[in-house]
Amino acid sequence: MSRWDIHGEHLAERYQQIFLVALGETILLAGLSFTRSPTSRGMVTAFAVALATSVLLRRIYVQRAGQILGEAVTRAAHPATIGRSAADTHLVMVLGVVATAIGYELVIEHPLGHNELPWLAMILGGPAVFLAGRARFEYEVFGRVSPSRLVGIAALLLPVPLLVRLAPLAAAILAALVLAAVAVADARRAWGRPPEEAATPF
């Protein structure tokens, strides 16, 4: 692959499509879970939180790094290297999104039930894995990692011992709030500044 000619825009578009298909599956799974059982107030809230989380995942993915991956590949000294690395990174982010989708299903079907560690691994671990992949993605494009990614991962994982005693819906709301905080931090960093250009270390 190191000898291939890499077209940055084409490669970035394919990776974006893979991510968006995975994200679309999360919304589909949330909708199926919501329609499978008689609705309750808790289920409606869980469904709304699931949709909000999906919107936030997309927002965090797209915010700048997701927009200029093609530019980063074109500017890279070794385009094939960043191409391979971005493939692994997108796999990590998609795994996080899939785990989040499983968490949606658990929360929508048992919004006020008893939490279990395997459930929290999906509800909170999924977004944490996504943020870890997104942090690596940011490094691939800009050569740096925003502190908000690391703070977000910590905010998702550290409360797990406390959340075992609460309902799954509480964990889902926490995940959405953490992702919202990360998205706001991204927007504040970009506010009033010229669009950041790619500065890949590859």
Side-chain angles (χ1 to χ4, degrees), residues 187-202:
R188 286 187 63 185
R189 186 176 59 249
W191 182 261
R193 298 180 182 177
E196 188 173 5
E197 295 185 357
T200 178
F202 294 96

Side-chain angles (χ1 to χ4, degrees), residues 156-187:
L156 287 166
L157 299 182
L158 291 178
V160 166
L162 298 175
L163 290 169
V164 172
R165 305 175 184 179
L166 302 178
L169 182 56
I173 291 172
L174 172 65
L177 291 174
V178 170
L179 292 174
V182 172
V184 168
D186 288 347

Side-chain angles (χ1 to χ4, degrees), residues 22-90:
L23 199 59
E25 289 295 322
T26 68
I27 297 172
L28 178 62
L29 185 58
L32 290 174
S33 300
F34 183 68
T35 57
R36 248 194 312 248
S37 307
T39 58
S40 65
R41 185 176 299 176
M43 287 181 65
V44 171
T45 304
F47 181 66
V49 170
L51 292 182
T53 301
S54 292
V55 170
L56 289 166
L57 290 173
R58 183 190 179 282
R59 171 66 182 171
I60 293 168
Y61 172 81
V62 169
Q63 179 58 34
R64 204 51 191 153
Q67 295 172 338
I68 62 168
L69 174 60
E71 178 186 328
V73 173
T74 302
R75 291 187 175 190
H78 305 285
T81 302
I82 188 175
R84 284 195 302 267
S85 182
D88 295 339
T89 297
H90 278 76

Side-chain angles (χ1 to χ4, degrees), residues 105-117:
E105 185 175 16
L106 294 169
V107 174
I108 290 170
E109 293 182 356
H110 312 280
L112 304 177
H114 178 69
N115 251 333
E116 299 178 21
L117 280 176

